[in-house]
Amino acid sequence: LAALGELYDIDVEQLLTGFRSVHGATHAAGGVHRLSDPNPDVPQDVGAAAFFDVDNTLVQGASIFLLARGLHRLKFRVSGSEDPDDVAAAREQALEFIKGHRVDETTALAEEIFDEIIGDRVYDGTRELANLHLQAGQEVWLVTATPVQLAQIIAKRLGLTGALGTVAEVEDGVFTGRLVGDILHGPGKKHAVAALAASADLDLSRCAAYSDSVNDVPMLSMVGTAVAINPDRRLRREAEARGWAIRDYRRLRRTLLATAQYGAARSEEHTSELQSQWSIS
């Protein structure tokens, strides 16, 4: 373990915490390592993987907040940028929020929320990047602070390999409100990715990572290819300084939305003109 910790630039306790997160994710997935099987027609690039953050990288907005909106219960403010203390507090509130609820009922509700809300908020550009990795025969993992059950639903719906997320303790099928492993935020993501790499024999020098937040620099720094997606100001500066690629899909989404709204407005205006000309009621 000490040698592995040295390899990934973390101490033994951090690596063990990462293993607890990975084990918790596997347990949450029903004991399976993969949520989706690779395409049998695609030669597999064994040892290579891509790690994607979720909030504002893959999905517009905070996924736990979107889940909470659907359930009309969780109450915390989500700002435009991440503050480690605020996010940690929010995740603790998320654990408290699901405390006492059955896992199967919560998972079923989360599936509905994905279908009704979250699915429409996936950035097409980021999804395309994930698909490119899959088409190259590489694994694609979500690594996110959102509860692992929701993260795994997103991954499965998108045909990704798997998902690591914040793991809430379960007893007799009910959430206790206690944490297993790390909250997967900031350094916690690095610990979990290190444990996953050790478990799955991944070569991190051949892996890629994608995120929007400067808080994920520890994860971005441990792979061969780091990409800033929809970056906050601090990550943009960090990416420019380190020579990391930058992709911003927010402007494209806003442009498409504005175009659609303009088209709808013009259509309504044209209909109004026709009604006026032909006295259509």
Side-chain angles (χ1 to χ4, degrees):
L1 284 180
L4 282 175
E6 186 175 347
L7 175 64
Y8 299 121
D9 191 29
I10 57 178
D11 63 35
V12 172
E13 184 54 40
Q14 291 170 335
L15 183 59
L16 288 173
T17 302
F19 277 123
R20 285 193 286 271
S21 295
V22 172
H23 175 76
T26 301
H27 180 74
V32 299
H33 177 67
R34 288 176 174 267
L35 297 175
S36 304
D37 293 327
N39 186 334
D41 297 326
V42 175
Q44 294 303 293
D45 186 3
V46 178
F51 310 107
F52 285 81
D53 171 52
V54 171
D55 294 352
N56 295 311
T57 301
L58 177 65
V59 175
Q60 181 184 15
S63 52
I64 183 62
F65 180 66
L66 297 175
L67 174 63
R69 276 179 50 194
L71 300 178
H72 301 292
R73 294 189 183 185
L74 185 59
K75 297 179 180 178
F76 64 87
R77 183 176 63 84
V78 177
S79 62
S81 60
E82 293 184 5
D83 177 88
D85 295 332
D86 290 344
V87 172
R91 304 308 168 187
E92 291 293 350
Q93 288 179 335
L95 291 172
E96 185 64 26
F97 157 65
I98 60 177
K99 179 180 179 180
H101 290 274
R102 291 195 55 81
V103 177
D104 54 359
E105 294 174 350
T106 304
T107 301
L109 285 171
E111 289 175 340
E112 292 180 14
I113 298 307
F114 178 88
D115 293 336
E116 295 174 5
I117 302 175
I118 296 177
D120 291 336
R121 290 175 170 263
V122 174
Y123 286 108
D124 291 336
T126 310
R127 184 172 186 173
E128 182 178 348
L129 286 173
N131 285 335
L132 287 174
H133 283 284
L134 292 174
Q135 292 164 14
Q138 300 175 359
E139 297 184 10
V140 176
W141 288 82
L142 301 183
V143 185
T144 173
T146 204
V148 69
Q149 286 80 9
L150 177 57
Q152 290 178 340
I153 287 169
I154 296 172
K156 195 165 186 177
R157 285 287 200 273
L158 299 182
L160 309 182
T161 307
L164 302 179
T166 297
V167 180
E169 184 184 64
V170 176
E171 289 183 357
D172 299 323
V174 177
F175 290 111
T176 67
R178 295 187 291 270
L179 185 68
V180 175
D182 261 339
I183 292 176
L184 289 203
H185 180 261
K189 290 185 179 181
K190 178 177 180 177
H191 306 159
V193 167
L196 179 64
S199 301
D201 198 22
L202 299 175
D203 180 355
L204 291 181
S205 68
R206 298 174 51 230
C207 293
Y210 301 82
S211 178
D212 71 298
S213 173
V214 73
N215 295 314
D216 288 341
V217 166
M219 178 180 71
L220 294 168
S221 301
M222 66 190 307
V223 296
T225 303
V227 182
I229 302 288
N230 307 327
D232 58 32
R233 291 181 181 178
R234 290 185 296 166
L235 179 58
R236 182 177 291 275
R237 288 197 297 267
E238 190 75 21
E240 289 172 347
R242 292 175 180 250
W244 292 343
I246 299 173
R247 301 285 183 270
D248 198 325
Y249 302 119
R250 293 169 296 189
R251 296 187 183 90
L252 176 60
R253 191 180 184 92
R254 285 196 294 266
T255 299
L256 292 174
L257 179 60
T259 300
Q261 291 173 336
Y262 175 77
R266 289 295 296 151
S267 177
E268 183 177 347
E269 180 182 337
H270 182 60
T271 301
S272 178
E273 290 175 355
L274 287 175
Q275 289 175 336
S276 176
Q277 293 173 10
W278 296 98
S279 299
I280 300 174
S281 59

